[in-house]
Amino acid sequence: MTGTLNATAAVEIDNVAVRFHSKRTEVTAIEQVSLDVAPGEFVSIVGPSGCGKSTLLKLVSGLLKPSAGSVTLLGEQVRGPRHDIGFVFQRAALLEWRSARKNILLQAEMRGMNSAEAGKRADELIEMTGLSGFENALPHELSGGMQQRVALCRALLHQPRVLLMDEPFGALDALTREQMNVELHRVWRETGTTVLLVTHSIAESVYLANRVIVLTQRPAVVKEVIEVDLPDERDYSATMARPEFATATAHIRDLLGAVTGHD
Ligand SMILES: Nc1ncnc2c1ncn2[C@@H]1O[C@H](COP(=O)(O)OP(=O)(O)OP(=O)(O)O)[C@@H](O)[C@H]1O
Ligand SMILES: [Mg+2]
């Protein structure tokens, strides 16, 4: 991207490398990765297991420092853990003794947000993600998909401009996962949040994103960036049936097959 676009990027990953040292070994997880994400953009990241996808998200969140290069979030270089982002992991990680709504409001308590405003926002998110009627249910009374919706609401409560998601639907069955994809797409359009999603599902990566970043095997470099040529309005079945969808998924499958040595 050009310098002008860089100045307005939500996330700028500039020539980043990550090396992990132990007593005897050194593992290079990421080597020379550069990526700019525009405000409001949805970017999916795919790549072989162990290539460095989670490491990349940790760099953006400031949980990890790069060995070389720099990461800039909302115009500010990332130097430590950032609190102005949202993070959703593969497991919902809810507190078992708190209701769905109270798990969502945990975010507000940790941040000292105004409780009336946080409550209003929590109710909007509950409505937006189809959790109405389950506000007072405990996590064990919720399905896996519902628990992930609670985790998503919690990550969005403080209206983060950047949302990082690391295989958020990896533990769900195929049908629930499709439903969550549809909901996430709608939530993304309604909130305008910039999203970086790590996923192992090629279909999910294309259905949700404006661009898909394909990483190589470790040490990860960017193998290719695929621009997703689909309209923003994405009915699930209609999207799956589009030739552009088939072309993009087949291409990504080829790229991943090429880097892992099998399809
Ligand atoms: N804290 C750490 N210390 C040492 N090595 C690490 C650490 N974190 C990650 N690694 C190594 O870095 C590499 C990339 O790990 P990472 O978790 O980013 O992969 P991934 O692409 O997210 O994999 P998966 O798809 O299986 O989740 C792996 O080889 C891993 O062993
Ligand atoms: Mg990972």
Side-chain angles (χ1 to χ4, degrees), residues 22-41:
S22 70
K23 265 189 187 153
R24 287 187 207 163
T25 56
E26 185 187 281
V27 173
T28 303
I30 292 176
E31 201 161 53
Q32 287 203 322
V33 166
S34 294
L35 170 70
D36 284 359
V37 183
E41 194 180 12

Side-chain angles (χ1 to χ4, degrees), residues 42-48 53 57 165-170 177 181 196-206 208-209 212-213 256:
F42 196 121
V43 168
S44 295
I45 300 168
V46 297
K53 301 179 295 297
L57 289 194
M165 306 184 88
D166 196 352
E167 296 182 48
F169 310 132
R177 189 173 190 153
N181 282 180
L196 256 83
L197 168 84
V198 165
T199 177
H200 278 117
S201 161
I202 297 173
E204 179 173 287
S205 76
V206 174
L208 287 166
V212 180
I213 314 299
L256 291 174

Side-chain angles (χ1 to χ4, degrees), residues 18-173:
V18 176
R19 287 180 278 276
F20 293 109
H21 302 273
S22 70
K23 265 189 187 153
R24 287 187 207 163
T25 56
E26 185 187 281
V27 173
T28 303
I30 292 176
E31 201 161 53
Q32 287 203 322
V33 166
S34 294
L35 170 70
D36 284 359
V37 183
E41 194 180 12
F42 196 121
V43 168
S44 295
I45 300 168
V46 297
S49 181
C51 78
K53 301 179 295 297
S54 298
T55 302
L56 201 57
L57 289 194
K58 282 182 200 155
L59 286 175
V60 177
S61 69
L63 291 172
L64 197 70
K65 285 199 175 73
S67 314
S70 68
V71 179
T72 307
L73 187 74
L74 303 166
E76 208 181 300
Q77 191 171 344
V78 178
R79 295 181 191 280
R82 290 284 292 247
H83 302 291
D84 48 355
I85 53 158
F87 213 134
V88 182
F89 302 92
Q90 186 170 358
R91 304 239 164 256
L94 304 178
L95 298 179
E96 287 301 327
W97 60 91
R98 293 183 69 138
S99 68
R101 191 169 187 279
K102 286 200 169 148
N103 262 290
I104 298 168
L105 287 170
L106 196 62
Q107 182 78 267
E109 291 166 28
M110 284 175 356
R111 289 168 188 278
M113 286 166 69
N114 174 293
S115 64
E117 274 171 30
K120 191 165 163 272
R121 171 85 181 140
D123 293 335
E124 283 167 12
L125 287 165
I126 285 168
E127 168 96 42
M128 200 190 289
T129 54
L131 281 169
S132 302
F134 292 89
E135 297 89 338
N136 299 318
L138 292 170
H140 78 269
E141 296 168 320
L142 300 172
S143 70
M146 289 164 132
Q147 291 182 22
Q148 274 312 72
R149 282 181 221 163
V150 174
L152 179 61
C153 292
R154 187 179 56 192
L156 289 172
L157 189 76
H158 56 298
Q159 297 185 280
R161 282 158 69 196
V162 176
L163 177 66
L164 307 176
M165 306 184 88
D166 196 352
E167 296 182 48
F169 310 132
L172 305 178
D173 66 86

